[in-house]
Amino acid sequence: MKEKVLFFDRFILQVRRSNKSINAIEKELGYPRNSLNNYKNGGEPSGSRLVEIAEYFNVSPEFLIGKEKNSTIAEEFNILPKEYFRQLRESQKKELVLIITKWIIDEFVMDEK
């Protein structure tokens, strides 16, 4: 079950990276409407569809199903940190900036005192 959820999470991340809607991607791939959206309920793509989706996003099928592990978020999602930041919602960006600011203060400013 975990891999099924992981597939959809990684699929959605790739959709966001593409700046397209799921429906637009379905149309480009020649799939019926809502066929890709149905994976959010835990369904898995067939092997051939998995390969097509992976090729579309230029990632490996292993990455999409969670078999390919990487050490950092940027590597795991095959994106640069700056690109990752751009994909966040405004509220997520603000939260991240607050976390980083607090970390900088705690680690560097407080150490100087």
Side-chain angles (χ1 to χ4, degrees), residues 3 7-8 10-11 29 31 36 39 44-67:
E3 288 179 6
F7 167 77
F8 191 74
R10 289 185 173 193
F11 168 72
L29 290 171
Y31 297 162
L36 295 176
Y39 296 129
E44 291 183 311
S46 66
S48 60
R49 184 166 280 185
L50 176 63
V51 170
E52 289 172 347
I53 294 168
E55 286 176 352
Y56 180 86
F57 291 120
N58 198 29
V59 297
S60 71
E62 293 81 7
F63 168 78
L64 287 175
I65 62 171
K67 295 290 184 187

Side-chain angles (χ1 to χ4, degrees), residues 17-81:
R17 284 188 69 211
S18 72
N19 291 318
K20 297 178 182 177
S21 69
I22 292 176
N23 291 339
I25 293 169
E26 288 168 335
K27 188 174 183 179
E28 288 179 25
L29 290 171
Y31 297 162
R33 187 170 169 85
N34 292 323
S35 60
L36 295 176
N37 211 17
N38 290 332
Y39 296 129
K40 71 179 168 189
N41 297 323
E44 291 183 311
S46 66
S48 60
R49 184 166 280 185
L50 176 63
V51 170
E52 289 172 347
I53 294 168
E55 286 176 352
Y56 180 86
F57 291 120
N58 198 29
V59 297
S60 71
E62 293 81 7
F63 168 78
L64 287 175
I65 62 171
K67 295 290 184 187
E68 188 175 287
K69 307 267 189 254
N70 294 305
S71 59
T72 67
I73 291 173
E75 289 173 338
E76 182 169 344
F77 295 111
N78 197 24
I79 57 175
L80 298 171

